[in-house]
Short mmCIF file of all heavy atoms in Angstrom, two decimals:
data_model
loop_
_atom_site.label_atom_id
_atom_site.label_comp_id
_atom_site.label_asym_id
_atom_site.label_seq_id
_atom_site.Cartn_x
_atom_site.Cartn_y
_atom_site.Cartn_z
N MET A 1 -24.22 11.35 35.85
CA MET A 1 -25.06 11.38 34.56
C MET A 1 -25.65 12.71 34.46
O MET A 1 -26.59 13.12 35.24
CB MET A 1 -26.09 10.30 34.67
CG MET A 1 -25.54 9.00 34.10
SD MET A 1 -26.89 7.78 33.79
CE MET A 1 -25.94 6.53 33.09
N THR A 2 -25.31 13.47 33.47
CA THR A 2 -25.82 14.80 33.26
C THR A 2 -26.56 14.92 31.99
O THR A 2 -25.89 15.26 30.89
CB THR A 2 -24.75 15.92 33.43
OG1 THR A 2 -23.75 15.43 32.64
CG2 THR A 2 -24.31 16.05 34.85
N GLY A 3 -27.80 14.48 31.91
CA GLY A 3 -28.49 14.56 30.62
C GLY A 3 -28.91 15.92 30.31
O GLY A 3 -30.03 16.35 30.65
N GLU A 4 -28.05 16.75 29.81
CA GLU A 4 -28.44 18.13 29.40
C GLU A 4 -29.04 18.22 28.04
O GLU A 4 -29.81 19.05 27.72
CB GLU A 4 -27.14 18.97 29.54
CG GLU A 4 -27.41 20.05 30.58
CD GLU A 4 -26.09 20.86 30.74
OE1 GLU A 4 -25.97 21.64 29.82
OE2 GLU A 4 -25.38 20.66 31.66
N THR A 5 -28.51 17.35 27.12
CA THR A 5 -29.01 17.46 25.73
C THR A 5 -29.66 16.14 25.32
O THR A 5 -28.93 15.23 24.90
CB THR A 5 -27.82 17.75 24.77
OG1 THR A 5 -26.78 16.86 25.17
CG2 THR A 5 -27.40 19.15 24.94
N PRO A 6 -30.94 16.07 25.58
CA PRO A 6 -31.74 14.89 25.12
C PRO A 6 -31.87 14.78 23.71
O PRO A 6 -32.64 15.40 23.12
CB PRO A 6 -33.00 15.08 25.86
CG PRO A 6 -33.21 16.42 26.13
CD PRO A 6 -31.77 17.06 26.14
N LYS A 7 -31.02 13.87 23.05
CA LYS A 7 -31.18 13.82 21.69
C LYS A 7 -32.01 12.59 21.24
O LYS A 7 -31.88 11.57 21.84
CB LYS A 7 -29.76 13.65 20.97
CG LYS A 7 -28.87 12.81 21.86
CD LYS A 7 -27.54 12.95 21.31
CE LYS A 7 -26.48 12.17 22.18
NZ LYS A 7 -25.15 12.31 21.67
N PRO A 8 -32.81 12.75 20.28
CA PRO A 8 -33.68 11.64 19.82
C PRO A 8 -32.88 10.55 19.22
O PRO A 8 -32.19 10.75 18.21
CB PRO A 8 -34.66 12.33 18.75
CG PRO A 8 -33.88 13.57 18.35
CD PRO A 8 -33.01 13.99 19.49
N PRO A 9 -32.85 9.35 19.81
CA PRO A 9 -32.13 8.21 19.29
C PRO A 9 -32.64 7.79 17.96
O PRO A 9 -31.82 7.28 17.16
CB PRO A 9 -32.43 7.16 20.29
CG PRO A 9 -33.54 7.58 21.12
CD PRO A 9 -33.60 9.03 21.04
N ASP A 10 -33.93 7.93 17.71
CA ASP A 10 -34.47 7.54 16.45
C ASP A 10 -33.94 8.34 15.25
O ASP A 10 -33.42 7.72 14.21
CB ASP A 10 -35.90 7.63 16.51
CG ASP A 10 -36.65 6.28 16.66
OD1 ASP A 10 -36.89 6.00 17.92
OD2 ASP A 10 -36.95 5.71 15.74
N ALA A 11 -33.89 9.59 15.42
CA ALA A 11 -33.37 10.52 14.39
C ALA A 11 -31.94 10.20 14.08
O ALA A 11 -31.40 10.06 12.95
CB ALA A 11 -33.57 11.92 14.69
N VAL A 12 -31.16 9.99 15.20
CA VAL A 12 -29.75 9.84 14.95
C VAL A 12 -29.54 8.44 14.31
O VAL A 12 -28.70 8.33 13.36
CB VAL A 12 -29.10 9.77 16.38
CG1 VAL A 12 -27.63 9.33 16.18
CG2 VAL A 12 -29.16 11.08 17.08
N ARG A 13 -30.37 7.49 14.70
CA ARG A 13 -30.12 6.18 14.04
C ARG A 13 -30.40 6.34 12.55
O ARG A 13 -29.55 5.84 11.79
CB ARG A 13 -31.14 5.25 14.75
CG ARG A 13 -30.52 4.40 15.79
CD ARG A 13 -31.41 3.24 16.12
NE ARG A 13 -30.95 2.42 17.15
CZ ARG A 13 -31.57 1.36 17.58
NH1 ARG A 13 -32.77 1.05 17.17
NH2 ARG A 13 -31.05 0.61 18.53
N ILE A 14 -31.47 6.91 12.18
CA ILE A 14 -31.88 7.01 10.77
C ILE A 14 -30.78 7.74 10.02
O ILE A 14 -30.35 7.35 8.93
CB ILE A 14 -33.22 7.77 10.68
CG1 ILE A 14 -34.34 6.83 11.30
CG2 ILE A 14 -33.51 7.98 9.15
CD1 ILE A 14 -35.60 7.60 11.38
N SER A 15 -30.26 8.79 10.65
CA SER A 15 -29.21 9.64 9.96
C SER A 15 -27.93 8.80 9.75
O SER A 15 -27.36 8.88 8.71
CB SER A 15 -28.89 10.81 10.85
OG SER A 15 -29.12 11.99 10.13
N ALA A 16 -27.66 7.88 10.70
CA ALA A 16 -26.44 7.19 10.64
C ALA A 16 -26.60 5.86 9.94
O ALA A 16 -25.68 5.21 9.51
CB ALA A 16 -25.82 7.00 11.95
N ALA A 17 -27.82 5.54 9.71
CA ALA A 17 -28.18 4.24 9.06
C ALA A 17 -27.75 4.22 7.55
O ALA A 17 -27.89 5.32 6.93
CB ALA A 17 -29.62 3.94 9.20
N LYS A 18 -27.26 3.10 7.16
CA LYS A 18 -26.93 2.97 5.72
C LYS A 18 -27.55 1.76 5.10
O LYS A 18 -27.75 0.76 5.79
CB LYS A 18 -25.41 2.84 5.60
CG LYS A 18 -24.69 4.25 5.87
CD LYS A 18 -23.16 4.00 5.74
CE LYS A 18 -22.48 5.28 5.98
NZ LYS A 18 -21.07 5.12 5.95
N CYS A 19 -27.85 1.88 3.87
CA CYS A 19 -28.50 0.83 3.16
C CYS A 19 -27.65 -0.44 3.26
O CYS A 19 -26.43 -0.43 3.08
CB CYS A 19 -28.63 1.20 1.72
SG CYS A 19 -29.36 -0.10 0.77
N VAL A 20 -28.27 -1.44 3.71
CA VAL A 20 -27.57 -2.73 3.91
C VAL A 20 -27.33 -3.40 2.56
O VAL A 20 -26.55 -4.39 2.47
CB VAL A 20 -28.45 -3.70 4.71
CG1 VAL A 20 -28.70 -3.15 6.11
CG2 VAL A 20 -29.70 -4.06 3.97
N ARG A 21 -27.72 -2.77 1.49
CA ARG A 21 -27.53 -3.28 0.14
C ARG A 21 -26.35 -2.55 -0.59
O ARG A 21 -25.49 -3.17 -1.05
CB ARG A 21 -28.83 -3.14 -0.67
CG ARG A 21 -28.80 -4.03 -1.82
CD ARG A 21 -29.21 -5.46 -1.54
NE ARG A 21 -28.74 -6.22 -2.74
CZ ARG A 21 -28.49 -7.53 -2.59
NH1 ARG A 21 -28.69 -8.21 -1.45
NH2 ARG A 21 -28.18 -8.30 -3.55
N CYS A 22 -26.51 -1.30 -0.57
CA CYS A 22 -25.51 -0.49 -1.42
C CYS A 22 -24.78 0.50 -0.48
O CYS A 22 -23.69 1.01 -0.98
CB CYS A 22 -26.19 0.19 -2.50
SG CYS A 22 -27.30 1.49 -2.01
N GLY A 23 -25.17 0.69 0.70
CA GLY A 23 -24.50 1.60 1.69
C GLY A 23 -24.87 3.00 1.59
O GLY A 23 -24.33 3.78 2.20
N ALA A 24 -25.90 3.29 0.77
CA ALA A 24 -26.35 4.66 0.69
C ALA A 24 -27.24 4.96 1.91
O ALA A 24 -27.77 4.20 2.55
CB ALA A 24 -27.23 4.77 -0.62
N PRO A 25 -27.40 6.26 2.23
CA PRO A 25 -28.14 6.70 3.35
C PRO A 25 -29.66 6.20 3.19
O PRO A 25 -30.18 6.32 2.11
CB PRO A 25 -28.04 8.19 3.33
CG PRO A 25 -27.50 8.60 2.06
CD PRO A 25 -26.75 7.41 1.50
N VAL A 26 -30.12 5.62 4.21
CA VAL A 26 -31.46 5.14 4.12
C VAL A 26 -32.55 6.16 4.49
O VAL A 26 -32.19 7.13 5.03
CB VAL A 26 -31.69 3.85 5.13
CG1 VAL A 26 -30.58 2.86 4.83
CG2 VAL A 26 -31.66 4.40 6.47
N THR A 27 -33.70 5.87 4.11
CA THR A 27 -34.82 6.75 4.45
C THR A 27 -35.79 6.05 5.36
O THR A 27 -35.90 4.71 5.33
CB THR A 27 -35.61 7.13 3.16
OG1 THR A 27 -36.11 5.98 2.61
CG2 THR A 27 -34.66 7.88 2.17
N PRO A 28 -36.45 6.68 6.30
CA PRO A 28 -37.35 6.13 7.24
C PRO A 28 -38.35 5.28 6.53
O PRO A 28 -38.93 4.28 7.08
CB PRO A 28 -38.01 7.36 7.95
CG PRO A 28 -37.14 8.49 7.63
CD PRO A 28 -36.39 8.19 6.36
N ARG A 29 -38.69 5.66 5.33
CA ARG A 29 -39.78 4.89 4.67
C ARG A 29 -39.32 3.54 4.16
O ARG A 29 -40.04 2.54 4.16
CB ARG A 29 -40.20 5.72 3.37
CG ARG A 29 -41.42 6.57 3.63
CD ARG A 29 -41.98 7.07 2.34
NE ARG A 29 -43.17 7.80 2.53
CZ ARG A 29 -43.88 8.31 1.52
NH1 ARG A 29 -43.39 8.11 0.29
NH2 ARG A 29 -44.90 8.97 1.70
N THR A 30 -38.06 3.44 3.74
CA THR A 30 -37.55 2.22 3.23
C THR A 30 -36.51 1.58 4.04
O THR A 30 -35.68 0.73 3.54
CB THR A 30 -37.05 2.50 1.81
OG1 THR A 30 -36.01 3.41 1.92
CG2 THR A 30 -38.06 3.04 0.89
N ARG A 31 -36.47 1.88 5.36
CA ARG A 31 -35.48 1.27 6.18
C ARG A 31 -35.65 -0.22 6.11
O ARG A 31 -36.76 -0.70 5.98
CB ARG A 31 -35.73 1.71 7.57
CG ARG A 31 -34.84 2.95 8.01
CD ARG A 31 -34.86 3.16 9.41
NE ARG A 31 -36.10 3.29 10.10
CZ ARG A 31 -36.37 3.17 11.30
NH1 ARG A 31 -35.36 3.03 12.18
NH2 ARG A 31 -37.54 3.20 11.83
N PRO A 32 -34.59 -0.98 6.21
CA PRO A 32 -33.13 -0.48 6.34
C PRO A 32 -32.44 -0.35 4.96
O PRO A 32 -31.27 -0.55 4.86
CB PRO A 32 -32.46 -1.59 7.21
CG PRO A 32 -33.16 -2.77 6.70
CD PRO A 32 -34.57 -2.46 6.35
N PHE A 33 -33.25 0.05 4.03
CA PHE A 33 -32.68 0.21 2.68
C PHE A 33 -32.86 1.72 2.24
O PHE A 33 -33.48 2.48 2.81
CB PHE A 33 -33.38 -0.65 1.66
CG PHE A 33 -33.50 -2.06 2.09
CD1 PHE A 33 -34.53 -2.63 2.71
CD2 PHE A 33 -32.44 -2.94 1.82
CE1 PHE A 33 -34.59 -3.93 3.06
CE2 PHE A 33 -32.41 -4.28 2.30
CZ PHE A 33 -33.54 -4.71 2.90
N CYS A 34 -32.07 2.06 1.12
CA CYS A 34 -32.08 3.41 0.75
C CYS A 34 -33.28 3.71 -0.12
O CYS A 34 -33.83 4.72 -0.29
CB CYS A 34 -30.76 3.72 0.03
SG CYS A 34 -30.75 2.88 -1.59
N SER A 35 -33.74 2.52 -0.70
CA SER A 35 -34.99 2.81 -1.58
C SER A 35 -35.66 1.52 -1.75
O SER A 35 -35.23 0.39 -1.33
CB SER A 35 -34.48 3.21 -2.96
OG SER A 35 -33.63 2.21 -3.56
N GLN A 36 -36.91 1.55 -2.29
CA GLN A 36 -37.67 0.42 -2.43
C GLN A 36 -36.95 -0.62 -3.29
O GLN A 36 -37.13 -1.81 -3.18
CB GLN A 36 -38.99 0.81 -3.02
CG GLN A 36 -39.93 -0.39 -3.02
CD GLN A 36 -40.33 -0.97 -1.66
OE1 GLN A 36 -40.49 -0.15 -0.76
NE2 GLN A 36 -40.36 -2.23 -1.56
N ARG A 37 -36.20 -0.15 -4.18
CA ARG A 37 -35.52 -1.01 -5.18
C ARG A 37 -34.59 -1.95 -4.44
O ARG A 37 -34.58 -3.19 -4.60
CB ARG A 37 -34.64 -0.13 -6.14
CG ARG A 37 -34.52 -0.90 -7.41
CD ARG A 37 -33.80 -0.09 -8.41
NE ARG A 37 -34.40 -0.21 -9.73
CZ ARG A 37 -33.98 0.45 -10.78
NH1 ARG A 37 -32.93 1.32 -10.74
NH2 ARG A 37 -34.52 0.27 -11.91
N CYS A 38 -33.79 -1.38 -3.53
CA CYS A 38 -32.83 -2.22 -2.77
C CYS A 38 -33.67 -3.17 -1.88
O CYS A 38 -33.25 -4.31 -1.78
CB CYS A 38 -31.91 -1.25 -1.95
SG CYS A 38 -30.41 -0.73 -2.79
N ALA A 39 -34.64 -2.74 -1.36
CA ALA A 39 -35.44 -3.64 -0.47
C ALA A 39 -36.00 -4.78 -1.26
O ALA A 39 -36.01 -5.93 -0.86
CB ALA A 39 -36.67 -2.83 0.02
N ASP A 40 -36.44 -4.44 -2.53
CA ASP A 40 -36.98 -5.48 -3.43
C ASP A 40 -35.88 -6.45 -3.70
O ASP A 40 -36.08 -7.72 -3.73
CB ASP A 40 -37.59 -4.89 -4.66
CG ASP A 40 -38.79 -5.56 -5.12
OD1 ASP A 40 -39.67 -5.83 -4.27
OD2 ASP A 40 -38.77 -6.01 -6.27
N ILE A 41 -34.76 -6.00 -4.07
CA ILE A 41 -33.63 -6.83 -4.48
C ILE A 41 -33.20 -7.71 -3.36
O ILE A 41 -33.02 -8.95 -3.44
CB ILE A 41 -32.36 -6.01 -4.99
CG1 ILE A 41 -32.81 -5.22 -6.18
CG2 ILE A 41 -31.18 -6.86 -5.13
CD1 ILE A 41 -31.70 -4.19 -6.55
N ASP A 42 -33.17 -7.18 -2.20
CA ASP A 42 -32.73 -7.97 -1.01
C ASP A 42 -33.81 -9.02 -0.75
O ASP A 42 -33.49 -10.25 -0.48
CB ASP A 42 -32.58 -7.00 0.19
CG ASP A 42 -31.82 -7.74 1.29
OD1 ASP A 42 -30.64 -7.90 1.11
OD2 ASP A 42 -32.43 -8.13 2.29
N LEU A 43 -35.02 -8.68 -0.77
CA LEU A 43 -36.10 -9.65 -0.59
C LEU A 43 -36.09 -10.71 -1.53
O LEU A 43 -36.14 -11.92 -1.19
CB LEU A 43 -37.48 -8.87 -0.62
CG LEU A 43 -38.66 -9.76 -0.32
CD1 LEU A 43 -38.68 -10.22 1.11
CD2 LEU A 43 -39.95 -9.09 -0.56
N ALA A 44 -35.83 -10.39 -2.86
CA ALA A 44 -35.82 -11.38 -3.86
C ALA A 44 -34.64 -12.37 -3.55
O ALA A 44 -34.74 -13.53 -3.71
CB ALA A 44 -35.57 -10.76 -5.24
N GLY A 45 -33.48 -11.83 -3.16
CA GLY A 45 -32.42 -12.62 -2.85
C GLY A 45 -32.70 -13.61 -1.76
O GLY A 45 -32.33 -14.80 -1.80
N TRP A 46 -33.33 -13.22 -0.67
CA TRP A 46 -33.79 -13.99 0.40
C TRP A 46 -34.64 -15.12 -0.04
O TRP A 46 -34.50 -16.29 0.27
CB TRP A 46 -34.53 -13.18 1.47
CG TRP A 46 -33.62 -12.70 2.49
CD1 TRP A 46 -32.96 -11.47 2.56
CD2 TRP A 46 -33.15 -13.49 3.64
NE1 TRP A 46 -32.26 -11.39 3.71
CE2 TRP A 46 -32.30 -12.54 4.40
CE3 TRP A 46 -33.45 -14.66 4.18
CZ2 TRP A 46 -31.67 -12.93 5.56
CZ3 TRP A 46 -32.85 -15.02 5.36
CH2 TRP A 46 -31.99 -14.19 6.00
N LEU A 47 -35.62 -14.76 -0.87
CA LEU A 47 -36.63 -15.84 -1.31
C LEU A 47 -35.77 -16.87 -2.21
O LEU A 47 -36.03 -18.02 -2.03
CB LEU A 47 -37.70 -15.20 -2.16
CG LEU A 47 -38.59 -14.32 -1.30
CD1 LEU A 47 -39.53 -13.55 -2.24
CD2 LEU A 47 -39.42 -15.16 -0.32
N THR A 48 -34.98 -16.37 -3.03
CA THR A 48 -34.17 -17.28 -3.86
C THR A 48 -33.36 -18.24 -3.04
O THR A 48 -33.32 -19.39 -3.24
CB THR A 48 -33.31 -16.38 -4.78
OG1 THR A 48 -34.10 -15.49 -5.43
CG2 THR A 48 -32.66 -17.38 -5.83
N GLU A 49 -32.76 -17.67 -2.03
CA GLU A 49 -31.87 -18.49 -1.26
C GLU A 49 -32.69 -19.49 -0.49
O GLU A 49 -32.29 -20.68 -0.26
CB GLU A 49 -31.01 -17.62 -0.26
CG GLU A 49 -29.75 -17.20 -0.84
CD GLU A 49 -28.76 -16.68 0.21
OE1 GLU A 49 -28.89 -17.18 1.43
OE2 GLU A 49 -27.96 -15.86 -0.03
N ARG A 50 -33.84 -19.09 -0.04
CA ARG A 50 -34.69 -19.97 0.73
C ARG A 50 -35.06 -21.18 -0.10
O ARG A 50 -35.13 -22.33 0.39
CB ARG A 50 -35.92 -19.24 1.17
CG ARG A 50 -35.76 -18.60 2.53
CD ARG A 50 -37.05 -18.10 3.04
NE ARG A 50 -37.91 -19.07 3.44
CZ ARG A 50 -39.12 -18.79 3.94
NH1 ARG A 50 -39.55 -17.64 4.05
NH2 ARG A 50 -39.94 -19.80 4.30
N TYR A 51 -35.33 -20.91 -1.37
CA TYR A 51 -35.75 -22.07 -2.22
C TYR A 51 -34.59 -22.90 -2.65
O TYR A 51 -34.74 -23.92 -3.24
CB TYR A 51 -36.45 -21.44 -3.35
CG TYR A 51 -37.98 -21.11 -2.99
CD1 TYR A 51 -38.36 -19.75 -3.05
CD2 TYR A 51 -38.84 -21.97 -2.54
CE1 TYR A 51 -39.57 -19.33 -2.65
CE2 TYR A 51 -40.09 -21.68 -2.17
CZ TYR A 51 -40.45 -20.25 -2.24
OH TYR A 51 -41.67 -19.92 -1.90
N ARG A 52 -33.39 -22.22 -2.50
CA ARG A 52 -32.20 -22.96 -3.02
C ARG A 52 -31.65 -23.86 -1.93
O ARG A 52 -30.67 -24.62 -2.14
CB ARG A 52 -31.19 -21.95 -3.54
CG ARG A 52 -31.52 -21.47 -4.89
CD ARG A 52 -30.40 -20.64 -5.38
NE ARG A 52 -29.17 -21.43 -5.59
CZ ARG A 52 -28.07 -20.90 -5.93
NH1 ARG A 52 -27.85 -19.56 -6.02
NH2 ARG A 52 -26.97 -21.72 -6.06
N VAL A 53 -32.09 -23.73 -0.69
CA VAL A 53 -31.59 -24.54 0.40
C VAL A 53 -31.72 -26.03 0.07
O VAL A 53 -32.85 -26.56 -0.23
CB VAL A 53 -32.36 -24.26 1.70
CG1 VAL A 53 -31.87 -25.21 2.75
CG2 VAL A 53 -32.14 -22.78 2.10
N PRO A 54 -30.58 -26.70 -0.02
CA PRO A 54 -30.58 -28.17 -0.35
C PRO A 54 -31.06 -29.00 0.80
O PRO A 54 -30.75 -28.78 1.97
CB PRO A 54 -29.12 -28.38 -0.59
CG PRO A 54 -28.36 -27.41 0.07
CD PRO A 54 -29.29 -26.08 0.22
N GLY A 55 -31.75 -30.01 0.56
CA GLY A 55 -32.14 -30.97 1.59
C GLY A 55 -33.29 -30.32 2.36
O GLY A 55 -33.77 -31.00 3.29
N ASP A 56 -33.87 -29.31 1.85
CA ASP A 56 -35.05 -28.72 2.61
C ASP A 56 -36.09 -28.29 1.63
O ASP A 56 -35.99 -27.19 1.12
CB ASP A 56 -34.62 -27.51 3.47
CG ASP A 56 -35.60 -27.11 4.40
OD1 ASP A 56 -36.51 -27.98 4.70
OD2 ASP A 56 -35.54 -25.93 4.89
N GLU A 57 -36.98 -29.09 1.38
CA GLU A 57 -37.98 -28.84 0.36
C GLU A 57 -38.90 -27.67 0.85
O GLU A 57 -39.20 -27.52 2.08
CB GLU A 57 -38.87 -30.05 0.07
CG GLU A 57 -38.23 -30.95 -0.97
CD GLU A 57 -39.16 -32.06 -1.39
OE1 GLU A 57 -40.35 -31.96 -1.24
OE2 GLU A 57 -38.66 -33.08 -1.84
N ALA A 58 -39.37 -26.96 -0.17
CA ALA A 58 -40.13 -25.79 0.12
C ALA A 58 -41.47 -26.28 0.71
O ALA A 58 -42.04 -27.33 0.36
CB ALA A 58 -40.42 -24.90 -1.05
N PRO A 59 -41.98 -25.59 1.67
CA PRO A 59 -43.31 -25.92 2.30
C PRO A 59 -44.45 -25.87 1.26
O PRO A 59 -44.56 -24.96 0.49
CB PRO A 59 -43.51 -24.89 3.36
CG PRO A 59 -42.62 -23.79 3.02
CD PRO A 59 -41.50 -24.34 2.29
N ALA A 60 -45.33 -26.85 1.35
CA ALA A 60 -46.43 -26.87 0.30
C ALA A 60 -47.41 -25.80 0.65
O ALA A 60 -48.26 -25.97 1.54
CB ALA A 60 -47.07 -28.28 0.38
N GLU A 61 -47.22 -24.74 -0.04
CA GLU A 61 -48.11 -23.60 0.26
C GLU A 61 -49.39 -23.72 -0.62
O GLU A 61 -50.51 -23.76 -0.15
CB GLU A 61 -47.46 -22.27 -0.09
CG GLU A 61 -46.50 -21.94 1.02
CD GLU A 61 -45.70 -20.68 0.74
OE1 GLU A 61 -45.64 -20.31 -0.43
OE2 GLU A 61 -45.10 -20.18 1.63
N ASP A 62 -49.13 -23.88 -1.94
CA ASP A 62 -50.28 -23.95 -2.81
C ASP A 62 -50.48 -25.40 -3.13
O ASP A 62 -51.60 -25.84 -3.43
CB ASP A 62 -50.08 -23.15 -4.12
CG ASP A 62 -50.03 -21.61 -3.81
OD1 ASP A 62 -51.07 -21.21 -3.10
OD2 ASP A 62 -49.13 -20.94 -4.18
N GLY A 63 -49.36 -26.11 -3.44
CA GLY A 63 -49.57 -27.61 -3.76
C GLY A 63 -50.12 -27.72 -5.04
O GLY A 63 -51.13 -28.38 -5.23
N GLU A 64 -49.49 -27.08 -6.08
CA GLU A 64 -50.15 -27.16 -7.42
C GLU A 64 -49.93 -28.56 -8.02
O GLU A 64 -50.86 -29.28 -8.37
CB GLU A 64 -49.56 -26.06 -8.28
CG GLU A 64 -50.24 -24.77 -8.05
CD GLU A 64 -49.77 -23.72 -8.97
OE1 GLU A 64 -49.31 -23.99 -10.06
OE2 GLU A 64 -49.75 -22.54 -8.44
N ASP A 65 -48.60 -28.91 -8.13
CA ASP A 65 -48.30 -30.20 -8.71
C ASP A 65 -47.09 -30.79 -7.97
O ASP A 65 -46.22 -31.42 -8.65
CB ASP A 65 -48.13 -30.08 -10.15
CG ASP A 65 -46.89 -29.26 -10.58
OD1 ASP A 65 -46.19 -28.81 -9.64
OD2 ASP A 65 -46.59 -29.19 -11.74
N GLY A 66 -47.01 -30.57 -6.74
CA GLY A 66 -45.88 -31.12 -6.02
C GLY A 66 -46.38 -32.14 -5.09
O GLY A 66 -45.84 -32.18 -3.92
N GLU A 67 -47.21 -32.93 -5.45
CA GLU A 67 -47.75 -34.01 -4.53
C GLU A 67 -46.88 -35.20 -4.50
O GLU A 67 -46.51 -35.73 -5.60
CB GLU A 67 -49.22 -34.34 -5.00
CG GLU A 67 -50.17 -33.34 -4.36
CD GLU A 67 -51.55 -33.76 -4.62
OE1 GLU A 67 -51.85 -34.97 -4.72
OE2 GLU A 67 -52.45 -32.87 -4.88
N LYS A 68 -46.53 -35.62 -3.28
CA LYS A 68 -45.74 -36.87 -3.15
C LYS A 68 -46.43 -37.75 -2.21
O LYS A 68 -46.95 -37.41 -1.18
CB LYS A 68 -44.38 -36.44 -2.63
CG LYS A 68 -43.41 -36.13 -3.76
CD LYS A 68 -42.02 -35.95 -3.24
CE LYS A 68 -41.07 -35.67 -4.35
NZ LYS A 68 -39.66 -35.44 -3.84
N PRO A 69 -46.36 -39.03 -2.54
CA PRO A 69 -46.98 -40.09 -1.70
C PRO A 69 -46.42 -40.20 -0.30
O PRO A 69 -45.18 -39.97 -0.27
CB PRO A 69 -46.85 -41.39 -2.40
CG PRO A 69 -45.82 -41.06 -3.53
CD PRO A 69 -45.76 -39.55 -3.77
ZN1 ZN B 101 -29.49 0.86 -1.42
#
């Protein structure tokens, strides 16, 4: 093992990282997305899917009018 060139794994990772949404190069600020937009879209998709899960009612967070005996 001859570690002659210690390269920062973080920088390399960010450089090689690609947006999980559109594939564009990501930025450290919006990892793992290329922009806040992609992050927002992905997050929205997650929330939507979570609420679309059949047979699994959403947890009563606010309980506005979803009261069941
Ligand atoms: Zn993107």
Side-chain angles (χ1 to χ4, degrees):
M1 271 194 178
T2 51
E4 242 178 74
T5 48
K7 39 192 173 178
D10 258 88
V12 174
R13 261 196 184 178
I14 295 170
S15 237
K18 284 182 183 175
C19 179
V20 298
R21 194 82 199 156
C22 65
V26 307
T27 61
R29 263 195 178 182
T30 58
R31 269 197 304 165
F33 307 97
C34 67
S35 61
Q36 186 63 40
R37 202 175 226 181
C38 272
D40 216 51
I41 293 170
D42 196 74
L43 182 66
W46 266 95
L47 292 174
T48 308
E49 269 198 31
R50 268 187 74 178
Y51 285 114
R52 279 188 65 187
V53 173
D56 191 20
E57 275 188 23
E61 282 175 344
D62 291 313
E64 276 179 33
D65 66 358
E67 273 186 36
K68 271 188 175 179

